Amino acid sequence: MAGAVSPSVTAPAGRALNLALATSTSVVCFWAWNSIATLSAFYTQHLHLNPAATGVLVAMPVFVGSLGRIVVGALTDKYGGRAMFTFVLLASIVPILLVAVGGSLDSFALVLGAGVLLGVAGTVFAVGIPFVSAWYEPARRGFATGVFGAGMGGTALAAFLNPRLVAGIGYVPTHLLIAAILAVMAVIIWFRLKEAPGWTRSNAPVVPKLLDAAKTLVTWKLCFLYAVLFGGFVSFATYLPTYLRDVYAFDPSAAGARTAGFALAAVLARPVGGVLADKVGPKPVVIVALAGVAVLAWVVNLQPDGDVPAGLTFVAMAAALGLGTGGVFAWVGVLAPQGKVGSISGVVSAAGGLGGYFPPLIMGATYDAATHSYSIGLLLLVATALAALVFTIFAMQGRTKVKVAPA
């Protein structure tokens, strides 16, 4: 049974360590993946960019990383998490160094091109979901994928540390430090990470596996929901420094600290969403999350005045998005046939990333400089969340029974 763990193995030795290593890898990769977005103010100033150009620069790693997840997820079924985690970490080093060169030369083209290559760091999610799912029995995969999903806390690290590192040690040394951390993590993963007992390589060709995943109706249902929820998180996490600068006039360090708080709230809520989905089913978790996103996006649109009201609104929004992403991927862990978890999770996580690609472009294109307003983009989020809420209520099944499907 490819990519599966034997039902008789309920608590294999080392699974907590391997879950921790996988999550740590995700943290480092998310840090690298968001390195351009968290320094958007730096690029806007030094490269003389307008909001639309900044939106393109910020969104490019998201776009490429999203598409790359489709292939990387299928390759994880074939080569395993150890090899693919190591590959993603090492492959992220070169674009980080190119970003450093491009920024130091004030070259928009070079930073943009490096951002395309940096998308590889965002594919880490498609490696981790099948890897940690293989370590845990179906009834606890919501917990496992939720904990691994907390690795998106690398976004919080990037938002908090990068502006401060640039101010403290310089732009190029900051990127050299990130590259060094990627290299160290790759060595640790290669020598310490282990595949789950019972996991076997899937030798099925990649393209047919992806086509098979695409033929599964539940794949597309989950793609839509994940595009709204994880896409909402990615778009807020990447564009929030720019938003806070334009609407609330925060400097890069202050905007970065608040963006880190936003990301941290989502990180903490994601495993909660996974655990709740294990206990009460994913559907009520996702319904509550989408309702919260719709209401809170409307409140954000009203531009609440004062640091506390605005801050609480964004933290609540992050918690709703994190809760929902944990719920959706609990559905993936249960509904995906064993041996196809990698390919299906790759497609679904790609949809989530693509969901985070377009909002920054829309926000940049619809920004009203005269009123410092992003109302159009936020109201579109309200409408999308409401559509997803209706879809979840009427098109998704209720509490999901754990079933072990044939490979």
Side-chain angles (χ1 to χ4, degrees):
M1 187 176 292
V5 62
S6 172
S8 63
V9 180
T10 57
R15 74 176 181 182
L17 173 62
N18 282 278
L19 178 58
L21 288 172
T23 304
S24 299
T25 301
S26 182
V27 169
V28 173
C29 286
F30 265 81
W31 183 357
W33 194 36
N34 284 272
S35 58
I36 291 178
T38 52
L39 296 175
S40 60
F42 174 91
Y43 296 116
T44 299
Q45 177 184 354
H46 287 263
L47 305 181
H48 310 291
L49 305 180
N50 58 35
T54 300
V56 171
L57 192 65
V58 165
M60 191 53 64
V62 176
F63 177 69
V64 177
S66 303
L67 294 180
R69 290 177 180 188
I70 299 174
V71 176
V72 168
L75 290 175
T76 301
D77 283 338
K78 183 172 184 177
Y79 295 108
R82 175 173 171 263
M84 293 306 298
F85 273 137
T86 305
F87 166 77
V88 169
L89 287 161
L90 293 177
S92 301
I93 294 174
V94 172
I96 280 290
L97 297 177
L98 289 176
V99 169
V101 174
S104 64
L105 297 176
D106 291 340
S107 171
F108 174 78
L110 185 51
V111 176
L112 184 64
V116 172
L117 299 177
L118 189 57
V120 69
T123 65
V124 69
F125 206 81
V127 180
I129 293 299
F131 175 80
V132 302
S133 293
W135 274 99
Y136 285 80
E137 62 274 18
R140 296 200 67 203
R141 285 180 185 162
F143 162 77
T145 57
V147 171
F148 173 75
M152 63 189 188
T155 302
L157 276 180
F160 184 80
L161 291 178
N162 287 1
R164 287 167 170 76
L165 287 171
V166 169
I169 65 175
Y171 175 82
V172 171
T174 294
H175 290 80
L176 293 177
L177 175 62
I178 297 172
I181 293 172
L182 287 165
V184 170
M185 197 71 213
V187 173
I188 293 173
I189 290 301
W190 182 254
F191 288 104
R192 295 292 295 165
L193 199 75
K194 305 294 182 184
E195 303 294 342
W199 180 87
T200 55
R201 175 180 301 203
S202 171
N203 291 314
V206 171
V207 173
K209 283 176 68 69
L210 294 176
L211 292 176
D212 185 45
K215 293 176 183 177
T216 306
L217 179 60
V218 72
T219 301
W220 297 107
K221 290 182 176 181
L222 294 172
C223 277
F224 171 58
L225 295 178
Y226 203 61
V228 175
L229 289 163
F230 186 74
F233 165 75
V234 170
S235 57
F236 265 102
T238 56
Y239 204 77
L240 195 54
T242 302
Y243 180 92
L244 293 175
R245 180 198 68 202
D246 293 339
V247 176
Y248 292 99
F250 286 121
D251 62 46
S253 293
R258 286 159 178 79
T259 302
F262 175 91
L264 182 60
V267 166
L268 295 176
R270 179 158 187 153
V272 174
V275 171
L276 288 176
D278 285 341
K279 295 184 178 299
V280 303
K283 185 169 183 174
V285 174
V286 175
I287 286 175
V288 170
L290 288 168
V293 169
V295 171
L296 291 163
W298 173 258
V299 176
V300 170
N301 170 65
L302 299 178
Q303 295 185 12
D305 194 19
D307 210 10
V308 173
L312 290 177
T313 300
F314 281 112
V315 167
M317 169 71 81
L321 291 168
L323 194 75
T325 55
V328 171
F329 250 102
W331 253 329
V332 175
V334 172
L335 295 180
Q338 296 189 28
K340 300 178 183 178
V341 176
S343 55
I344 291 178
S345 66
V347 174
V348 173
S349 61
L354 287 174
Y357 170 70
F358 294 103
L361 300 180
I362 294 172
M363 297 288 272
T366 60
Y367 173 61
D368 187 342
T371 60
H372 301 288
S373 173
Y374 285 96
S375 289
I376 294 176
L378 290 168
L379 291 177
L380 285 173
L381 175 58
V382 173
T384 304
L386 289 175
L389 176 62
V390 172
F391 178 84
T392 302
I393 292 172
F394 294 104
M396 298 297 293
Q397 66 189 58
R399 182 183 175 94
T400 304
K401 302 294 185 182
V402 174
K403 292 187 280 188
V404 179

